[in-house]
Amino acid sequence: MSGIRPTGYLHLGNYFGAVRNYVRMQDEFECYFMVADLHSLTTHPDTKELKLNVHRVLSENIACGLDPDKVALYCQSHIYETAELYLYLNMLAYKGELEKTVTFKDKARQHPDNINAGLLTYPVLQAADIILHRAKYVPVGKDQEQHLEMARNFVNRFNHRYGDVFPEPIAFNFGDDLVKVPSLDGAGKMSKSENQYATLYLSDDDELIRKKVMKAKTDSGPTEPNTPMPDYIENIFLLMKLVSAEDVVAKYQGDYNNCIIRYGDMKKQLAEDMVKFITPIREQADSIRNDEKYLKEIMEKGAAKARKSAKATIELVRDAMGLNYY
Ligand code: TRP
């Protein structure tokens, strides 16, 4: 089970870091992937763009290979059982631990005029999302580790007080899929918040992709064989390894070692290979996004699958808690 926030566009870092992992999981596990629209209300109370954002995030993930026939792909707000479980878990979550959460402190600093209770209990809602399906494996990045640890604490408190209902959820990744995608400006990895020109989005058009790649920092090249690569050059090679053919990468590696590399040519090649990689995803995402009927269908299908699993869990929860006296 994992949740995807409906804010921002997917970039290459999300693709190789997260989405590719989901796509691999769908063939081996019973998967629940959810658009976290309720979570977005903790920081974005204005819902004018929510529908568009939800549609976009669904379209992009499907275009990347997530298959709504194989997984339950749904919206958080469509599953009312989440709210019920969230309420029960809130009684097992302590103010002190919630206030200590790193993401809460960060967001409180960023939005000092909107430190609402939903923001404080964000990790409780996330725990409810996960354990609603009694999920064990949660494909997430490092930034979510604290939330998962809190989910395990809530699970243990629940199980201890009311009886074993939930397994402990743990972070899951296919080892070699945790690829770090470097940014194009040689500083850190691709991310939403950094310099826009340093990040390639799956929605970028061909010209923008070329422009961004050609802007990547290079120098006049090595003059001695076996010169260690500067970070920003190594990053261009790393990006090339993600999207270009092996023999292409090997050619430029040879050119580097022989001190005859022409970075202009290398970037042109990388730009074309990026275009080839991104264009079909962008085009498919666009066509899905424009098909509201299809989006409605997949949301309904996803919600039906999620609801089935949610209802079964809520039955167990009410029984365990002794709330079944009617
Ligand atoms: N908090 C997650 C993020 O910021 C999104 C999320 C919501 C999530 N519910 C989840 C992730 C459940 C994993 C499981 O990316």
Side-chain angles (χ1 to χ4, degrees), residues 1-7 22 32 34-37 39 76 103 107 122-123 125-131 137-141 143-144 147-148 192:
M1 191 281 148
S2 198
I4 311 161
R5 264 179 307 172
T7 48
Y22 304 162
Y32 295 85
M34 174 202 86
V35 181
D37 53 355
H39 271 115
Q76 190 178 30
T103 49
K107 285 177 189 163
Y122 183 114
L125 181 55
Q126 180 164 347
D129 294 333
I130 299 166
I131 71 176
Y137 301 124
V138 187
V140 284
D143 64 318
Q144 296 297 310
H147 290 167
L148 275 193
K192 285 180 199 171

Side-chain angles (χ1 to χ4, degrees), residues 7 31 42 47 67 76 88 176 189 203 227 242 276 286:
T7 48
C31 296
T42 62
T47 53
D67 182 345
Q76 190 178 30
Y88 301 145
D176 57 350
K189 49 183 193 161
S203 53
T227 311
L242 295 174
K276 262 190 224 136
D286 285 347

Side-chain angles (χ1 to χ4, degrees), residues 179-196:
V179 186
K180 170 181 159 240
V181 180
S183 81
L184 285 165
D185 61 5
K189 49 183 193 161
M190 278 193 192
S191 73
K192 285 180 199 171
S193 46
E194 300 293 317
N195 165 11
Q196 295 282 297

Side-chain angles (χ1 to χ4, degrees), residues 45-267:
D46 185 345
T47 53
K48 262 202 298 295
E49 313 233 301
L50 194 53
K51 178 177 168 184
L52 189 73
N53 290 337
V54 167
H55 283 181
R56 196 179 59 222
V57 95
L58 288 169
S59 310
E60 286 190 323
N61 278 276
I62 296 169
C64 289
L66 212 62
D67 182 345
D69 287 323
K70 289 185 185 160
V71 306
L73 182 59
Y74 65 100
C75 285
Q76 190 178 30
S77 63
H78 293 167
I79 310 300
Y80 307 150
E81 286 77 6
T82 309
E84 181 176 343
L85 187 53
Y86 169 57
L87 185 145
Y88 301 145
L89 290 182
N90 270 326
M91 318 306 181
L92 298 169
Y94 300 115
K95 178 171 167 276
E97 67 186 335
L98 296 171
E99 282 170 345
K100 274 196 311 202
T101 316
V102 175
T103 49
F104 171 70
K105 289 195 288 190
D106 285 348
K107 285 177 189 163
R109 218 176 293 124
Q110 288 160 18
H111 310 266
D113 50 349
N114 185 21
I115 308 178
N116 59 75
L119 195 62
L120 183 67
T121 56
Y122 183 114
V124 185
L125 181 55
Q126 180 164 347
D129 294 333
I130 299 166
I131 71 176
L132 189 61
H133 305 297
R134 282 166 281 152
K136 280 200 199 99
Y137 301 124
V138 187
V140 284
K142 260 207 151 47
D143 64 318
Q144 296 297 310
E145 194 42 71
Q146 191 180 26
H147 290 167
L148 275 193
E149 193 187 321
M150 294 171 84
R152 288 192 288 276
N153 288 334
F154 304 147
V155 158
N156 286 325
R157 281 176 212 155
F158 184 99
N159 288 346
H160 184 70
R161 177 166 297 272
Y162 300 114
D164 269 333
V165 173
F166 301 111
E168 281 190 25
I170 55 168
F172 178 88
N173 281 294
F174 288 101
D176 57 350
D177 266 69
L178 263 191
V179 186
K180 170 181 159 240
V181 180
S183 81
L184 285 165
D185 61 5
K189 49 183 193 161
M190 278 193 192
S191 73
K192 285 180 199 171
S193 46
E194 300 293 317
N195 165 11
Q196 295 282 297
Y197 261 91
T199 297
L200 289 165
Y201 288 88
L202 300 178
S203 53
D204 287 347
D205 66 33
D206 297 357
E207 274 326 295
L208 188 55
I209 296 168
R210 292 191 181 102
K211 207 158 140 192
K212 286 182 176 180
V213 172
M214 294 315 286
K215 266 182 182 275
K217 178 177 170 179
T218 55
D219 52 33
S220 51
T223 49
E224 308 253 331
N226 302 319
T227 311
M229 272 185 202
D231 293 354
Y232 49 92
I233 298 298
E234 201 184 331
N235 286 351
I236 299 178
F237 274 98
L238 282 172
L239 289 168
M240 199 172 222
K241 279 182 198 149
L242 295 174
V243 296
S244 301
E246 258 172 58
D247 57 325
V248 171
V249 181
K251 173 202 154 14
Y252 286 102
Q253 231 141 19
D255 287 357
Y256 181 89
N257 292 335
N258 298 325
C259 307
I260 55 165
I261 189 155
R262 295 164 59 134
Y263 289 130
D265 292 350
M266 182 181 182
K267 287 196 284 186

Side-chain angles (χ1 to χ4, degrees), residues 298-311:
I298 63 117
M299 279 191 281
E300 276 166 6
K301 192 157 52 175
K305 287 187 212 168
R307 223 170 265 136
K308 187 160 177 248
S309 141
K311 283 191 191 302

